[in-house]
Amino acid sequence: MLSQRKNCDKVFIGSIDQGTTSTRFLIFDNDGVLVTSHQLEFDQIYPQPGWIEHDPIDLIKSVNKCMIEAVRKFEMMGYEASAIKTIGVTNQRETVLVWDKNTGKALYNALVWCDTRTAPTVKKLRTKEGSHKVAHMCGLPLATYFAGVKLRWLIENVSEVRDAIKEERAMFGTVDSWILYNLTGGKDGGVHVTDISNASRTMFVNLETQAWDDWLLEFFEVPRHVLPKIVSSSEHYGDMASGPLQGVPIQGCLGDQQAAMVGQKCFSQGQAKCTYGTGAFLLFNTGESHVTSKNGLLSTILYKLGPDAPVIYALEGSVAVAGSAVKWLQNNIGLIKSEKDIGKLAAQVDDTGGVYFVTALSGLFAPYWRDDARGTIVGLTNFTNKRHIARATLEAVCFSTRAIIDAMRNDALVPLQILKVDGGLSNADTAMQIQSDVLGIEVERPAMRETTALGAAFAAGLAAGIWKSTDELTKLTVNAHDTFEPKIDEKKRNKKYKEWEAAVERSYDWTRVVGNDDSESDEDEDDEKAH
C-alpha cells in the first residue's frame, strides 16, 4: 500500500495558525518542510463603525474543519495520521474572549485586536492615578490595541461577563487560551492556560517578573481568578480530546508575530524580522534583557522555549503604511492594475529621479509619532513619470523600516546583524533590494513563506524532542532563501536617507493647514507637536 511505502523514519508536526480573517492547519516534517495544509476563511462581524468581532464558535469550528481536511489530504498522500506526533498553536494576538467555566460557552463575541470601541475606556484609564507607570511595567502603552482594555470594556458593558466574574465562573483569555481550552476538552477538563508571549500582550504582565502583576490588575480592576495560568511557549499543555488527532499532545504556543520570529530562526540577540503586510511589522531580538524604549517602540516577551528556558525579549515597531500604499496606487490612483505590477514598474528606472513619497496617509507612526502629517510627494519635475512614483512608493516603505530599525538600534544598543523578511511586499525583488540598500545589511527572504506556522511547529517539536535545541533548528538547511546584499555605498545611502528625512519634515503640520480652526493658539499647537 502507498501508506506503507511512505511510512518511513520521518515524523510530522501539526500547526494551527488562527489568524484574523482565516484559520489554517499545516503539517510539517522534521526537516521543516511543509507537506500539506488546509485553510478556511470565517465571517468578520461589524456591529458598529470601528467595532470588529468574531463568533467564538466560528473560530473553533474553523480549527477543527481545517484539521480534518489537512489530515485527510495527508492520508491521501500516503501517510498515516499517527505519524503526526505533536501540535503547535499560533494565533492573532490581543483578540479577547470571556467564557463560562460551567458551560464552556463564550459570554460575548471575541473583540478583535483592531477593534476601536475601547477609545473612551482608554481615555478614562489615562486619567487614573498611576497611569504613567503602566507602560514602564508591562512595556505597552494605554491604547485600544491591547487585550487589557478590551476586558475592561467587557466588564463595564456586558452584564453576562460582569455577573460571571462576580460568581467566579468567568474565564478570560486571548485566542490561544480559547483554542487550547476547547481542543483539550472544554468544560470537561479543558486546560485554561496562555503562553508567555500572548500573556505579555494583555497589559497585566510585569516584564521584570514575567507574571501577572497585582498592581496592574488593580489598576485595570481585573480579578486574578479570571486569568489563565501562564506557561512557556514550548511544553505539554494537554492532549487533543477528539477528532482525527485525538490523543496527540499540544506542545507549542506563540502569538503570531513571535511565531514568525521563531519560524525565521531569529534566536540571536540583534536579529530582526519584518513582515510586510498592510503595514510593516518589525521585531528585534534583545536577548534576555528587557529594554524600555525611549523611541516610542513596544517592549514585549518574544518567547520562552521550555519551562526552564530563559525568557527572551523583543522590541516591536510598526510602519503604518506598507502594502496599503501599493493598494492606494492601484485602487485610488489607477497607476497599476495589480499589486504584483509595482516591482516590475519600479525596476524600469534606476532611481526615483529625486522624488520622495512620504506615505503618511493617516499620519506617521514610530519613531515620528506625528498624527498631523499627511501623504506628501516632493521633488516632482517634468522628468517624473509613473515609474519614478512606483519606485518612490517602495522606497517609502524601506525608508520607514529603516527609521524603525534605527530606533531599535538606539534602544537596544545592539548592532543589527541581518533583516529577515516575509509578507506580501517581500515577494517583490526590487523592494527587497531597495531595503538592503537603504539599511546597508543583508535582507534574507525564505523560499517557504509560512514562517508563522513553522514557528509554532518548531516550538511544539522542541517540547516533543523532535529537535533538541534552537541550534539544531538553525542548522536546518532544507528551506532555501534569497539573499539581497547592499549595492550602494555608505555615502550614497546616507545622502538618500537625509533627503528622505527632509521630505518627512515637509509632511508635518498639514492637518493644521487644512480644516483646522484658525483661532487655535500657537501655544496649543506647540503642545500638540510635542505630544
Side-chain angles (χ1 to χ4, degrees), residues 410-423:
N410 292 335
D411 277 335
L413 300 178
V414 175
L416 182 65
Q417 299 173 3
I418 190 170
L419 181 66
K420 301 189 178 186
V421 299
D422 52 46

Side-chain angles (χ1 to χ4, degrees), residues 136-139 194-214 216 224 228-233 287-291 300-314:
H136 178 75
M137 295 178 72
C138 71
T194 186
D195 101 285
I196 187 66
S197 74
N198 279 291
S200 73
R201 313 300 293 186
T202 60
M203 305 192 80
F204 303 150
V205 168
N206 185 315
L207 290 185
E208 297 290 344
T209 64
Q210 302 124 35
W212 303 127
D213 185 90
D214 287 334
L216 288 169
R224 182 179 285 268
K229 176 185 177 183
I230 297 177
V231 293
S232 78
S233 309
E288 296 181 40
S289 301
H290 159 224
V291 176
T300 194
I301 291 175
L302 183 53
Y303 57 72
K304 178 180 169 68
L305 294 176
D308 300 319
V311 165
I312 303 300
Y313 294 92

Side-chain angles (χ1 to χ4, degrees), residues 34-91:
L34 177 61
V35 179
T36 190
S37 65
H38 192 77
Q39 179 174 359
L40 284 173
E41 293 187 354
F42 52 85
D43 291 339
Q44 308 293 302
I45 303 169
Y46 304 102
Q48 296 182 33
W51 293 33
I52 308 176
E53 300 177 359
H54 291 158
D55 183 336
I57 300 301
D58 284 351
L59 299 183
I60 292 303
K61 281 185 175 179
S62 65
V63 168
N64 286 323
K65 286 180 181 178
C66 285
M67 197 175 299
I68 290 168
E69 287 302 311
V71 171
R72 184 183 64 82
K73 293 177 184 178
F74 185 67
E75 291 177 330
M76 288 179 67
M77 295 170 71
Y79 298 106
E80 295 180 358
S82 60
I84 300 173
K85 300 300 183 184
T86 185
I87 296 170
V89 176
T90 183
N91 57 283

